[in-house]
Each structure stands twice: as C-alpha cells, then as structure tokens.
Coordinates of all heavy atoms in Angstrom, one line a residue:
M114 N -1.6 8.0 10.1 CA -1.0 7.0 9.3 C -2.1 6.4 8.3 O -3.2 6.2 8.8 CB -0.4 5.8 10.1 CG 0.3 4.8 9.3 SD 1.1 3.5 10.3 CE 2.5 4.4 11.0
T115 N -1.7 6.2 7.1 CA -2.7 5.6 6.1 C -2.8 4.1 6.3 O -2.0 3.5 7.0 CB -2.2 5.9 4.7 OG1 -0.9 5.2 4.5 CG2 -1.9 7.4 4.5
R116 N -3.8 3.6 5.6 CA -3.9 2.1 5.6 C -2.7 1.4 5.1 O -2.3 0.3 5.6 CB -5.2 1.7 4.9 CG -6.5 2.2 5.6 CD -7.6 1.4 5.1 NE -8.9 1.9 5.6 CZ -9.4 1.7 6.8 NH1 -8.7 0.9 7.6 NH2 -10.5 2.2 7.2
L117 N -2.1 2.0 4.1 CA -0.9 1.4 3.5 C 0.2 1.4 4.6 O 0.9 0.4 4.8 CB -0.4 2.1 2.3 CG 0.9 1.6 1.7 CD1 0.8 0.2 1.2 CD2 1.4 2.5 0.6
G118 N 0.3 2.6 5.3 CA 1.3 2.7 6.3 C 1.1 1.7 7.4 O 2.1 1.0 7.9
E119 N -0.1 1.5 7.8 CA -0.5 0.5 8.8 C -0.1 -0.9 8.3 O 0.4 -1.7 9.1 CB -1.9 0.6 9.2 CG -2.3 1.8 9.9 CD -3.8 2.0 10.0 OE1 -4.6 1.1 9.6 OE2 -4.3 3.1 10.5
Y120 N -0.4 -1.2 7.1 CA -0.2 -2.5 6.5 C 1.3 -2.8 6.5 O 1.7 -3.9 6.9 CB -0.7 -2.6 5.1 CG -0.7 -3.9 4.4 CD1 -1.7 -4.8 4.6 CD2 0.4 -4.3 3.6 CE1 -1.6 -6.1 4.0 CE2 0.5 -5.5 3.0 CZ -0.5 -6.4 3.2 OH -0.5 -7.7 2.6
L121 N 2.1 -1.8 6.0 CA 3.6 -2.0 5.9 C 4.2 -2.2 7.3 O 5.1 -3.0 7.5 CB 4.2 -0.9 5.2 CG 3.8 -0.7 3.7 CD1 4.5 0.5 3.1 CD2 4.2 -2.0 2.9
T122 N 3.6 -1.4 8.3 CA 4.1 -1.6 9.7 C 3.8 -2.9 10.2 O 4.6 -3.6 10.9 CB 3.5 -0.4 10.5 OG1 4.0 0.8 10.0 CG2 4.0 -0.5 12.0
K123 N 2.5 -3.4 10.0 CA 2.1 -4.7 10.5 C 3.0 -5.8 10.0 O 3.3 -6.8 10.7 CB 0.6 -4.9 10.1 CG 0.0 -6.2 10.6 CD -1.5 -6.3 10.3 CE -1.7 -6.5 8.8 NZ -3.1 -6.7 8.4
K124 N 3.4 -5.7 8.7 CA 4.2 -6.7 8.1 C 5.7 -6.5 8.3 O 6.5 -7.2 7.8 CB 3.9 -6.7 6.6 CG 2.5 -7.0 6.2 CD 2.2 -8.5 6.3 CE 0.8 -8.8 5.8 NZ 0.4 -10.2 6.0
S125 N 6.1 -5.5 9.1 CA 7.5 -5.1 9.4 C 8.3 -5.0 8.1 O 9.4 -5.5 8.0 CB 8.1 -6.2 10.3 OG 7.4 -6.3 11.5
V126 N 7.8 -4.2 7.2 CA 8.4 -4.0 5.9 C 9.5 -3.0 5.9 O 9.3 -1.9 6.5 CB 7.3 -3.6 4.8 CG1 8.0 -3.2 3.5 CG2 6.3 -4.7 4.6
N127 N 10.6 -3.3 5.3 CA 11.7 -2.4 5.2 C 11.5 -1.5 4.0 O 11.6 -1.9 2.9 CB 13.1 -3.1 5.1 CG 14.3 -2.2 4.9 OD1 14.2 -1.2 4.2 ND2 15.3 -2.6 5.5
R128 N 11.2 -0.2 4.3 CA 10.8 0.7 3.2 C 11.9 1.0 2.2 O 11.7 1.3 1.1 CB 10.1 1.9 3.8 CG 8.8 1.5 4.4 CD 8.1 2.6 5.2 NE 7.1 1.9 6.0 CZ 6.2 2.6 6.7 NH1 6.2 3.9 6.7 NH2 5.3 1.9 7.3
A129 N 13.1 1.1 2.8 CA 14.3 1.3 1.9 C 14.4 0.2 0.9 O 14.7 0.4 -0.3 CB 15.6 1.4 2.7
M130 N 14.2 -1.0 1.3 CA 14.2 -2.2 0.4 C 13.1 -2.1 -0.7 O 13.3 -2.3 -1.9 CB 14.1 -3.5 1.1 CG 14.0 -4.8 0.3 SD 12.4 -5.3 -0.3 CE 11.5 -5.6 1.2
V131 N 11.9 -1.7 -0.2 CA 10.8 -1.5 -1.2 C 11.2 -0.4 -2.2 O 10.9 -0.6 -3.4 CB 9.5 -1.1 -0.4 CG1 8.4 -0.8 -1.4 CG2 9.1 -2.3 0.5
S132 N 11.7 0.6 -1.7 CA 12.1 1.7 -2.7 C 13.1 1.2 -3.7 O 13.0 1.5 -4.9 CB 12.7 2.9 -1.9 OG 13.2 3.9 -2.7
R133 N 14.1 0.5 -3.2 CA 15.1 0.0 -4.2 C 14.5 -1.0 -5.2 O 14.8 -0.9 -6.4 CB 16.3 -0.8 -3.4 CG 17.3 0.1 -2.8 CD 18.5 -0.7 -2.3 NE 18.2 -1.8 -1.4 CZ 18.0 -1.7 -0.1 NH1 18.0 -0.5 0.5 NH2 17.7 -2.8 0.6
R134 N 13.6 -1.9 -4.7 CA 13.1 -2.9 -5.6 C 12.0 -2.4 -6.5 O 11.8 -2.9 -7.6 CB 12.5 -4.1 -4.8 CG 13.6 -4.8 -4.0 CD 13.1 -6.0 -3.3 NE 12.9 -7.1 -4.3 CZ 12.3 -8.2 -4.1 NH1 11.8 -8.4 -2.9 NH2 12.1 -9.1 -5.1
T135 N 11.3 -1.3 -6.1 CA 10.2 -0.8 -7.0 C 10.5 0.4 -7.8 O 9.8 0.7 -8.8 CB 9.0 -0.5 -6.1 OG1 9.4 0.6 -5.2 CG2 8.5 -1.6 -5.3
G136 N 11.6 1.2 -7.4 CA 11.8 2.4 -8.0 C 11.0 3.6 -7.5 O 11.1 4.7 -8.0
I137 N 10.1 3.3 -6.5 CA 9.3 4.3 -5.9 C 10.2 5.0 -4.8 O 10.8 4.3 -4.0 CB 8.1 3.7 -5.2 CG1 7.2 3.0 -6.2 CG2 7.3 4.8 -4.4 CD1 6.1 2.2 -5.6
S138 N 10.3 6.3 -4.9 CA 11.2 7.0 -4.0 C 10.8 6.8 -2.5 O 9.6 6.6 -2.2 CB 11.3 8.5 -4.3 OG 10.1 9.1 -3.9
Q139 N 11.8 6.9 -1.6 CA 11.5 6.8 -0.2 C 10.6 7.9 0.2 O 9.7 7.8 1.1 CB 12.8 6.8 0.6 CG 13.5 5.5 0.5 CD 14.7 5.3 1.5 OE1 14.5 5.7 2.6 NE2 15.8 4.8 1.0
S140 N 10.7 9.1 -0.4 CA 9.9 10.2 -0.1 C 8.4 9.9 -0.5 O 7.5 10.2 0.3 CB 10.3 11.5 -0.9 OG 9.4 12.5 -0.8
R141 N 8.2 9.3 -1.6 CA 6.9 8.9 -2.1 C 6.3 7.9 -1.1 O 5.1 7.9 -0.8 CB 6.9 8.4 -3.5 CG 5.6 8.0 -4.1 CD 4.6 9.0 -4.3 NE 3.3 8.5 -4.9 CZ 2.2 9.0 -4.8 NH1 2.0 10.2 -4.2 NH2 1.1 8.5 -5.3
L142 N 7.1 6.9 -0.8 CA 6.6 5.9 0.2 C 6.2 6.5 1.5 O 5.2 6.1 2.1 CB 7.7 4.8 0.4 CG 7.9 3.8 -0.8 CD1 9.1 2.9 -0.5 CD2 6.7 3.0 -1.0
S143 N 7.0 7.5 1.9 CA 6.7 8.1 3.2 C 5.3 8.9 3.1 O 4.5 8.8 4.0 CB 7.8 9.1 3.5 OG 7.5 9.8 4.7
Q144 N 5.1 9.6 2.0 CA 3.8 10.2 1.7 C 2.7 9.2 1.7 O 1.6 9.5 2.3 CB 3.9 11.0 0.4 CG 4.7 12.2 0.4 CD 4.8 12.9 -1.0 OE1 4.5 12.2 -2.0 NE2 5.2 14.1 -1.0
L145 N 2.9 8.1 1.0 CA 1.8 7.1 0.9 C 1.5 6.5 2.2 O 0.4 6.1 2.5 CB 2.2 6.0 -0.1 CG 2.3 6.4 -1.6 CD1 3.0 5.3 -2.4 CD2 0.9 6.7 -2.1
S146 N 2.5 6.5 3.1 CA 2.3 5.8 4.4 C 1.8 6.8 5.5 O 1.2 6.3 6.4 CB 3.7 5.3 4.9 OG 4.1 4.3 4.1
S147 N 2.0 8.1 5.3 CA 1.6 9.0 6.4 C 0.6 10.0 6.0 O -0.1 10.6 6.9 CB 2.9 9.7 6.9 OG 3.5 10.4 5.9
N148 N 0.4 10.4 4.8 CA -0.5 11.5 4.4 C -1.8 10.9 3.8 O -1.8 10.4 2.7 CB 0.2 12.4 3.4 CG -0.6 13.6 3.0 OD1 -1.7 13.7 3.3 ND2 0.1 14.5 2.3
E149 N -2.9 11.1 4.6 CA -4.2 10.6 4.1 C -4.6 11.2 2.8 O -5.4 10.5 2.1 CB -5.2 10.9 5.2 CG -5.1 10.1 6.5 CD -5.4 8.6 6.4 OE1 -6.1 8.2 5.4 OE2 -5.1 7.9 7.3
G150 N -4.1 12.3 2.5 CA -4.5 13.0 1.2 C -3.8 12.5 0.0 O -4.2 12.8 -1.1
T151 N -2.8 11.7 0.2 CA -2.0 11.1 -0.9 C -2.7 9.9 -1.5 O -3.0 9.0 -0.8 CB -0.6 10.8 -0.5 OG1 0.1 11.9 0.1 CG2 0.3 10.3 -1.6
Q152 N -2.9 9.9 -2.8 CA -3.6 8.8 -3.5 C -2.6 7.8 -3.9 O -1.6 8.0 -4.6 CB -4.3 9.4 -4.7 CG -5.4 10.4 -4.4 CD -6.6 9.7 -3.7 OE1 -7.0 8.7 -4.0 NE2 -7.0 10.3 -2.6
L153 N -2.9 6.5 -3.5 CA -2.1 5.4 -3.9 C -2.6 4.9 -5.3 O -3.8 4.6 -5.5 CB -2.3 4.2 -2.9 CG -1.7 2.9 -3.2 CD1 -0.2 3.0 -3.2 CD2 -2.1 1.9 -2.1
R154 N -1.7 4.9 -6.2 CA -2.0 4.4 -7.6 C -1.9 2.9 -7.6 O -1.2 2.3 -6.9 CB -1.0 5.0 -8.6 CG -1.1 6.5 -8.6 CD -0.2 7.1 -9.8 NE 1.0 6.3 -10.1 CZ 2.2 6.8 -9.9 NH1 2.4 8.0 -9.5 NH2 3.2 6.0 -10.3
A155 N -2.7 2.3 -8.5 CA -2.7 0.9 -8.7 C -1.4 0.3 -9.0 O -1.0 -0.7 -8.5 CB -3.7 0.5 -9.8
D156 N -0.6 1.0 -9.9 CA 0.7 0.5 -10.2 C 1.7 0.5 -9.0 O 2.5 -0.4 -8.9 CB 1.3 1.2 -11.4 CG 1.5 2.7 -11.1 OD1 0.7 3.4 -10.5 OD2 2.6 3.3 -11.6
E157 N 1.5 1.5 -8.2 CA 2.4 1.5 -7.0 C 2.0 0.4 -6.0 O 2.9 -0.3 -5.5 CB 2.2 2.9 -6.2 CG 2.7 4.0 -7.0 CD 2.4 5.4 -6.4 OE1 1.2 5.5 -5.9 OE2 3.2 6.3 -6.5
L158 N 0.7 0.1 -5.8 CA 0.3 -1.0 -4.9 C 0.8 -2.3 -5.5 O 1.3 -3.1 -4.7 CB -1.2 -1.0 -4.8 CG -1.8 -2.1 -3.9 CD1 -2.9 -1.5 -3.1 CD2 -2.2 -3.3 -4.6
F159 N 0.7 -2.5 -6.8 CA 1.1 -3.7 -7.4 C 2.6 -3.9 -7.2 O 3.1 -5.0 -6.8 CB 0.8 -3.7 -8.9 CG 1.0 -5.0 -9.6 CD1 0.1 -6.0 -9.5 CD2 2.2 -5.2 -10.4 CE1 0.4 -7.3 -10.1 CE2 2.4 -6.4 -11.0 CZ 1.5 -7.4 -10.9
L160 N 3.4 -2.9 -7.5 CA 4.9 -3.0 -7.3 C 5.3 -3.3 -5.9 O 6.2 -4.1 -5.6 CB 5.6 -1.8 -7.8 CG 5.6 -1.6 -9.3 CD1 6.1 -0.2 -9.7 CD2 6.4 -2.7 -10.0
I161 N 4.6 -2.6 -4.9 CA 4.9 -2.8 -3.5 C 4.6 -4.2 -3.1 O 5.4 -4.8 -2.4 CB 4.2 -1.7 -2.6 CG1 4.7 -0.3 -2.9 CG2 4.3 -2.1 -1.2 CD1 3.8 0.8 -2.3
A162 N 3.5 -4.7 -3.5 CA 3.1 -6.1 -3.2 C 4.1 -7.1 -3.7 O 4.5 -8.0 -3.0 CB 1.7 -6.4 -3.8
L163 N 4.6 -6.9 -5.0 CA 5.6 -7.8 -5.6 C 6.9 -7.7 -4.8 O 7.5 -8.7 -4.5 CB 5.8 -7.4 -7.0 CG 4.7 -7.7 -8.0 CD1 5.1 -7.2 -9.4 CD2 4.2 -9.1 -8.0
A164 N 7.3 -6.5 -4.4 CA 8.5 -6.3 -3.6 C 8.5 -7.0 -2.3 O 9.6 -7.4 -1.8 CB 8.8 -4.8 -3.5
I165 N 7.4 -7.1 -1.7 CA 7.3 -7.7 -0.3 C 6.7 -9.1 -0.4 O 6.4 -9.7 0.6 CB 6.5 -6.8 0.7 CG1 5.1 -6.6 0.3 CG2 7.2 -5.5 0.9 CD1 4.2 -5.9 1.3
D166 N 6.6 -9.6 -1.6 CA 6.2 -11.0 -1.8 C 4.8 -11.3 -1.3 O 4.6 -12.3 -0.6 CB 7.3 -12.0 -1.3 CG 7.1 -13.4 -1.9 OD1 6.6 -13.5 -3.0 OD2 7.4 -14.4 -1.2
I167 N 3.9 -10.4 -1.5 CA 2.5 -10.6 -1.1 C 1.6 -10.5 -2.4 O 1.9 -9.8 -3.3 CB 2.1 -9.4 -0.2 CG1 2.9 -9.3 1.1 CG2 0.6 -9.4 0.1 CD1 2.6 -10.4 2.1
D168 N 0.6 -11.3 -2.4 CA -0.4 -11.3 -3.5 C -1.0 -9.9 -3.6 O -1.6 -9.4 -2.6 CB -1.4 -12.4 -3.3 CG -2.5 -12.3 -4.3 OD1 -2.2 -12.6 -5.5 OD2 -3.7 -12.0 -4.0
P169 N -0.9 -9.2 -4.7 CA -1.5 -7.9 -4.8 C -3.0 -7.8 -4.5 O -3.4 -6.9 -3.9 CB -1.2 -7.5 -6.3 CG 0.0 -8.3 -6.7 CD -0.2 -9.6 -5.9
G170 N -3.7 -8.9 -4.9 CA -5.1 -8.9 -4.6 C -5.4 -8.9 -3.1 O -6.3 -8.2 -2.6
E171 N -4.6 -9.7 -2.4 CA -4.7 -9.8 -0.9 C -4.4 -8.4 -0.3 O -5.1 -8.0 0.6 CB -3.8 -10.9 -0.4 CG -3.7 -10.9 1.2 CD -2.6 -11.8 1.6 OE1 -2.3 -12.9 1.0 OE2 -2.0 -11.5 2.7
M172 N -3.4 -7.8 -0.7 CA -3.0 -6.5 -0.2 C -4.1 -5.5 -0.5 O -4.4 -4.7 0.4 CB -1.6 -6.1 -0.8 CG -1.1 -4.8 -0.2 SD 0.6 -4.6 -1.0 CE 0.9 -3.0 -0.3
F173 N -4.6 -5.5 -1.7 CA -5.6 -4.6 -2.1 C -6.9 -4.7 -1.2 O -7.4 -3.8 -0.7 CB -6.0 -4.8 -3.6 CG -7.0 -3.8 -4.1 CD1 -6.6 -2.7 -4.7 CD2 -8.4 -4.1 -4.0 CE1 -7.5 -1.8 -5.2 CE2 -9.3 -3.2 -4.5 CZ -8.9 -2.0 -5.1
R174 N -7.3 -6.0 -1.0 CA -8.5 -6.3 -0.2 C -8.2 -5.8 1.3 O -9.1 -5.3 1.9 CB -8.8 -7.7 -0.2 CG -9.6 -8.2 -1.4 CD -10.0 -9.6 -1.3 NE -8.9 -10.6 -1.2 CZ -8.3 -11.0 -2.3 NH1 -8.6 -10.6 -3.5 NH2 -7.3 -11.9 -2.1
D175 N -7.0 -6.0 1.8 CA -6.8 -5.6 3.2 C -6.7 -4.1 3.3 O -7.3 -3.5 4.2 CB -5.4 -6.2 3.6 CG -5.2 -6.1 5.1 OD1 -6.3 -6.1 5.9 OD2 -4.1 -6.2 5.6
I176 N -6.1 -3.4 2.4 CA -6.0 -1.9 2.5 C -7.3 -1.2 2.3 O -7.6 -0.3 2.9 CB -4.9 -1.4 1.5 CG1 -3.5 -1.9 2.0 CG2 -5.0 0.1 1.4 CD1 -2.4 -1.6 1.0
F177 N -8.1 -1.8 1.4 CA -9.4 -1.1 1.0 C -10.6 -1.9 1.6 O -11.7 -1.8 1.1 CB -9.5 -1.0 -0.5 CG -8.4 -0.1 -1.1 CD1 -7.4 -0.6 -1.8 CD2 -8.5 1.3 -0.9 CE1 -6.4 0.2 -2.3 CE2 -7.5 2.1 -1.4 CZ -6.5 1.6 -2.1
R178 N -10.4 -2.6 2.7 CA -11.4 -3.4 3.3 C -12.7 -2.6 3.7 O -13.8 -3.2 3.8 CB -10.9 -4.2 4.4 CG -10.5 -3.4 5.6 CD -9.8 -4.2 6.7 NE -9.3 -3.4 7.8 CZ -8.1 -2.9 7.8 NH1 -7.3 -3.0 6.7 NH2 -7.7 -2.1 8.8
N179 N -12.5 -1.3 4.0 CA -13.7 -0.6 4.5 C -14.5 0.0 3.3 O -15.6 0.6 3.6 CB -13.2 0.5 5.4 CG -12.7 0.0 6.7 OD1 -13.0 -1.1 7.1 ND2 -11.8 0.7 7.4
L180 N -14.1 -0.1 2.1 CA -14.9 0.4 1.0 C -16.1 -0.4 0.7 O -16.0 -1.6 0.6 CB -14.0 0.5 -0.3 CG -12.9 1.6 -0.3 CD1 -12.2 1.5 -1.7 CD2 -13.5 3.0 -0.1
K181 N -17.2 0.2 0.6 CA -18.5 -0.5 0.4 C -19.3 0.2 -0.7 O -19.2 1.5 -0.8 CB -19.3 -0.6 1.6 CG -18.6 -1.2 2.9 CD -18.5 -2.6 2.8 CE -18.0 -3.2 4.0 NZ -17.0 -4.2 3.9
L182 N -20.1 -0.5 -1.4 CA -21.0 0.1 -2.4 C -22.1 0.9 -1.6 O -22.5 0.4 -0.6 CB -21.6 -0.9 -3.3 CG -20.7 -1.6 -4.3 CD1 -21.4 -2.7 -5.0 CD2 -20.1 -0.6 -5.3
E183 N -22.5 2.0 -2.2 CA -23.7 2.7 -1.5 C -25.0 1.9 -1.9 O -25.1 1.4 -3.0 CB -23.7 4.1 -2.1 CG -22.6 4.9 -1.6 CD -22.7 6.4 -2.0 OE1 -23.8 6.8 -2.3 OE2 -21.6 7.0 -2.2
N184 N -25.9 1.9 -0.9 CA -27.2 1.3 -1.2 C -28.1 2.3 -1.9 O -28.1 3.5 -1.5 CB -27.8 0.8 0.1 CG -27.1 -0.3 0.7 OD1 -26.5 -1.1 0.1 ND2 -27.1 -0.4 2.1
D185 N -28.8 1.9 -2.8 CA -29.7 2.8 -3.5 C -30.9 3.1 -2.7 O -31.4 2.5 -1.9 CB -30.2 2.1 -4.8 CG -29.0 2.0 -5.8 OD1 -27.9 1.8 -5.4 OD2 -29.3 2.1 -7.0

C-alpha cells in the first residue's frame, strides 16, 4: 500500500465518493493507493484533499513526511 493508500485508509475515506467529486477514476485511485510505482500528480493530490475536506498542504506534508534533502 502506498502512503496515499495508508492516508485514505486512516481517514476512512470513501474512494467512490472521491472519484465522483474529483473526476479521478476509481481505477486510478486504486493504482495510486496500492501500486508504489504509480506517481501521484500534484493536481490529483489537490483534488483529493478538497474532496475529503483536508488542507492540501497538511495532506502533502503527511504523505511525503519521509522526504529529506540530501546533505552535501
């Protein structure tokens, strides 16, 4: 499961509702939630956040919390 999948599960999000509200297909949401190789686009994250009434910045920080700059 991807970080997005974990996030949506933790928030008990209804993915069918997200699909209806965002226009992102249920198939794409399933890929984004389960396939580590699938890249989440910024516009998709923004629309999903709006659909579940979450601040997009908060969602972004939570999903990508493990990203760090490399030390020189």
Side-chain angles (χ1 to χ4, degrees):
M114 184 176 290
T115 64
R116 292 199 188 278
L117 176 64
E119 292 169 3
Y120 186 86
L121 296 176
T122 298
K123 179 176 72 173
K124 298 286 187 185
S125 300
V126 171
N127 179 320
R128 293 171 193 187
M130 176 273 298
V131 171
S132 178
R133 282 192 307 276
R134 294 188 75 192
T135 63
I137 300 170
S138 71
Q139 288 190 40
S140 172
R141 177 69 177 159
L142 286 173
S143 179
Q144 289 176 341
L145 289 168
S146 296
S147 61
N148 185 347
E149 292 286 345
T151 303
Q152 296 293 312
L153 174 62
R154 297 187 328 245
D156 62 322
E157 292 171 325
L158 183 141
F159 188 79
L160 288 172
I161 293 167
L163 293 179
I165 62 175
D166 199 29
I167 298 287
D168 175 65
E171 174 189 325
M172 186 174 172
F173 186 90
R174 281 187 297 277
D175 195 25
I176 290 173
F177 296 106
R178 67 186 172 274
N179 291 337
L180 290 180
K181 305 284 185 221
L182 292 174
E183 292 184 25
N184 292 331
D185 293 33

